[in-house]
Amino acid sequence: MSVETVNRGYVYSGAPTSDETESYFRQCFGADRLMYNLHVAHLYEYLEKNGHTIGDKLPTFKEMVMPTVKEFKQTRMNEEGNKYLYEVDAFASNEAKQHFNKAISLFNKNAFKGQFKKSVLKRQKTLGIEPTFRDLKGMPKFHSRKNSKLSYTTFNQNDNIFIGENNVLHLPTAQKSKLSEVTIKLNIHRPLPTNSRIKNVTITMNAQGKFEVSINVEFEMEVESIGIPAVERILGLDYSQANFFVDNEGKKANYPHYYRDMEERLAKEQRKLSHMVKGSKRWKRQRLVVVKLHMKVANQRKDWLHKKAYALANRYDMVVVEDLDLRAIGQTLKLAKNQQDNGFGNFRLYLKYKLEQQGKYFVKAPKSFASTQICSDCGVKNTALKGDITTREWTCNNCHEWHDRDHNAGLNLRNYGIRWIDEVLLAPSLVVA
Ligand SMILES: [Zn+2]
């Protein structure tokens, strides 16, 4: 046995203990949005003044003389006598800055493409309106009250976040807030691990006005150290759009039909909603139907993913998957509909946790590993398959072996795992942290 420090997230539904607390949370969400928007406004102002060349990266904070969070707060206070930003959790504002920072890095990654949004190009064609830098794909946008996620994150400092009696979570308050304490009652279906330390908490309010509390904890966990020779049962899993995954034996995930039916029903209700007059009585009623169904589908799916991951972690010593960017796939292949909840991404995460808990191995083959193109029999790469997503079966030019695309990829991933044991696990230079 060895002891490892691990980080985990736990999500509970919660209810603010008073109306004042609920409005405090709403204020925090608002502060997060306001601070984010102040950053966006500053960026736009800079770009309008200095111009922006399509294809260029966005300026750094230093270049655009971005005020600090403290300065933003001060300016708002001086100009509008607005104390509001001082009355909410200070972390809410700081997080907004982090999010804005992330949005900028994300934009910069693809800035060279200089792509405009499709809707904007259509507008240009039909109405002759020229796009501006604001219409660039990925450009940080103002968060509106309607479209932004209502949430804020706060961090534990000197144990000012803790779960007290009756499963009530105590959160830090702001210096200038009227509230002496901020508390939310949690519905704890699965307790936090014993001796875990709370690192941070994110409070979110969903479309139905219900609160969700996501708690990140750190704790020491004993893991069974199994001997290396015990890595015998190795599974290669290839992500499959149609079957969720296909393994190295050609077995499919058997995603329950029932869930697919539910998803179709959801899509139907969503279509109905899209035909209604936004904001009307009927629209509001239908929107509630969609939200409820959506939550049901999401919960069922999550439950299934957990069970599947649990079963595989028990059966195998090592599972090998591809390190693919699922979001990118969703975008480029127009598979976004089934990809929205990032099911496979979560599944990989559950699988990793469940394997590591038993001292087993979760291995990700790097993006450069062409699991679909390599012939699992002779190892020769079939480069004709690069970028081709429609070919489901192929025959190797070198050894003339016939392959089912997904099954072959599963085999390659398994082979990668076998090599990984020799090259990484048993490598003499290996440093076990
Ligand atoms: Zn071959």
Side-chain angles (χ1 to χ4, degrees):
M1 294 288 248
S2 65
V3 175
E4 271 177 38
T5 305
V6 292
N7 287 287
R8 291 285 151 83
Y10 291 79
V11 184
Y12 304 110
S13 57
T17 52
S18 67
D19 289 348
E20 288 75 28
T21 315
E22 180 165 338
S23 50
Y24 174 81
F25 285 143
R26 285 175 189 271
Q27 274 183 313
C28 290
F29 304 152
D32 181 286
R33 195 179 65 238
L34 171 59
M35 191 51 79
Y36 189 90
N37 288 345
L38 288 171
H39 282 82
V40 176
H42 187 89
L43 168 71
Y44 284 6
E45 206 177 297
Y46 177 91
L47 294 180
E48 243 140 45
K49 224 181 262 165
N50 298 279
H52 176 72
T53 312
I54 307 302
D56 275 3
K57 289 185 177 181
L58 292 174
T60 61
F61 275 23
K62 207 173 158 193
E63 280 163 349
M64 58 179 138
V65 205
M66 181 64 79
T68 61
V69 168
K70 204 172 151 189
E71 285 164 351
F72 270 131
K73 283 188 190 174
Q74 196 62 54
T75 317
R76 287 212 53 101
M77 173 80 170
N78 294 343
E79 284 174 2
E80 301 175 19
N82 200 333
K83 273 197 301 183
Y84 160 57
L85 284 170
Y86 290 98
E87 289 168 345
V88 298
D89 196 302
F91 283 114
S93 301
N94 289 332
E95 277 298 287
K97 179 185 167 179
Q98 302 300 338
H99 286 154
F100 177 75
N101 224 337
K102 259 190 213 158
I104 290 221
S105 334
L106 213 61
F107 175 88
N108 284 345
K109 254 192 205 165
N110 290 311
F112 70 94
K113 292 183 188 161
Q115 279 177 324
F116 286 108
K117 289 182 229 155
K118 270 212 186 108
S119 56
V120 173
L121 293 176
K122 215 183 210 172
R123 200 180 62 192
Q124 185 188 20
K125 227 176 166 182
T126 52
L127 301 172
I129 301 172
E130 288 303 313
T132 70
F133 69 84
R134 288 174 188 240
D135 304 315
L136 280 165
K137 243 183 182 172
M139 177 65 74
K141 284 190 303 252
F142 287 115
H143 284 173
S144 77
R145 203 178 290 262
K146 269 186 198 158
N147 302 332
S148 64
K149 201 175 170 193
L150 297 175
S151 78
Y152 84 99
T153 299
T154 184
F155 292 79
N156 196 1
Q157 290 181 310
N158 306 315
D159 290 326
N160 62 358
I161 300 181
F162 61 93
I163 296 174
E165 269 177 46
N166 298 321
N167 291 336
V168 170
L169 177 71
H170 295 248
L171 293 164
T173 175
Q175 256 181 352
K176 299 230 158 97
S177 167
K178 280 162 228 138
L179 278 179
S180 59
E181 61 168 8
V182 179
T183 46
I184 181 163
K185 183 157 168 61
L186 303 179
N187 173 18
I188 297 191
H189 50 90
R190 193 164 57 124
L192 294 177
T194 41
N195 297 323
S196 57
R197 299 171 292 278
I198 296 177
K199 305 289 282 183
N200 62 66
V201 171
T202 300
I203 307 280
T204 309
M205 195 173 81
N206 71 14
Q208 284 175 299
K210 295 228 167 77
F211 282 83
E212 199 179 80
V213 183
S214 162
I215 305 178
N216 272 316
V217 297
E218 183 185 78
F219 58 96
E220 266 77 46
M221 185 173 72
E222 282 200 338
V223 292
E224 287 172 41
S225 27
I226 56 164
I228 286 159
V231 187
E232 282 165 356
R233 295 163 300 173
I234 302 171
L235 183 72
L237 281 190
D238 181 51
Y239 170 71
S240 148
Q241 165 62 16
N243 302 300
F244 196 64
F245 65 69
V246 175
D247 72 15
N248 53 274
E249 287 164 22
K251 267 192 275 183
K252 291 162 189 166
N254 274 329
Y255 190 67
H257 270 296
Y258 170 68
Y259 298 165
R260 290 234 196 263
D261 294 345
M262 286 287 287
E263 277 163 19
E264 266 165 36
R265 221 179 99 200
L266 175 62
K268 210 175 109 196
E269 299 292 353
Q270 266 164 340
R271 265 197 308 277
K272 246 195 232 166
L273 179 69
S274 70
H275 293 310
M276 290 177 181
V277 181
K278 211 168 168 183
S280 69
K281 236 185 198 169
R282 284 182 63 214
W283 181 84
K284 277 180 190 158
R285 213 181 311 135
Q286 181 63 10
R287 189 160 164 268
L288 212 60
V289 171
V290 169
V291 167
K292 272 188 185 157
L293 200 58
H294 185 89
M295 275 171 63
K296 199 171 168 192
V297 169
N299 282 336
Q300 277 182 337
R301 203 172 148 97
K302 202 166 141 190
D303 196 50
W304 181 78
L305 293 176
H306 266 294
K307 281 185 185 142
K308 201 84 197 168
Y310 183 72
L312 291 180
N314 282 344
R315 209 175 311 143
Y316 294 94
D317 301 320
M318 177 193 280
V319 178
V320 190
V321 299
E322 295 165 278
D323 183 13
L324 37 81
D325 185 352
L326 292 159
R327 228 181 21 187
I329 290 186
Q331 279 160 6
T332 53
L333 307 188
K334 300 219 162 72
L335 306 177
K337 214 173 98 189
N338 290 341
Q339 282 298 315
Q340 266 163 358
D341 55 2
N342 190 15
F344 196 69
N346 285 335
F347 178 69
R348 283 192 311 204
L349 208 61
Y350 302 156
L351 201 52
K352 177 174 159 35
Y353 288 167
K354 283 168 176 137
L355 284 163
E356 285 174 355
Q357 239 159 13
Q358 301 182 54
K360 294 175 169 181
Y361 300 95
F362 175 81
V363 175
K364 260 192 205 174
K367 286 198 182 91
S368 57
F369 182 68
S371 64
T372 40
Q373 298 167 46
I374 299 167
C375 166
S376 57
D377 279 82
C378 70
V380 166
K381 225 192 220 182
N382 178 0
T383 46
L385 287 170
K386 194 174 179 185
D388 168 4
I389 54 149
T390 48
T391 305
R392 306 312 311 166
E393 300 167 6
W394 54 284
T395 308
C396 176
N397 280 334
N398 184 48
C399 71
H400 307 295
E401 184 65 38
W402 174 89
H403 294 298
D404 168 89
R405 180 198 182 95
D406 295 335
H407 182 195
N408 178 62
L411 280 166
N412 280 327
L413 288 167
R414 184 176 189 275
N415 292 340
Y416 181 89
I418 294 168
R419 278 204 304 281
W420 187 86
I421 297 176
D422 284 336
E423 290 165 15
V424 180
L425 196 59
L426 301 178
S429 60
L430 176 73
V431 182
V432 180

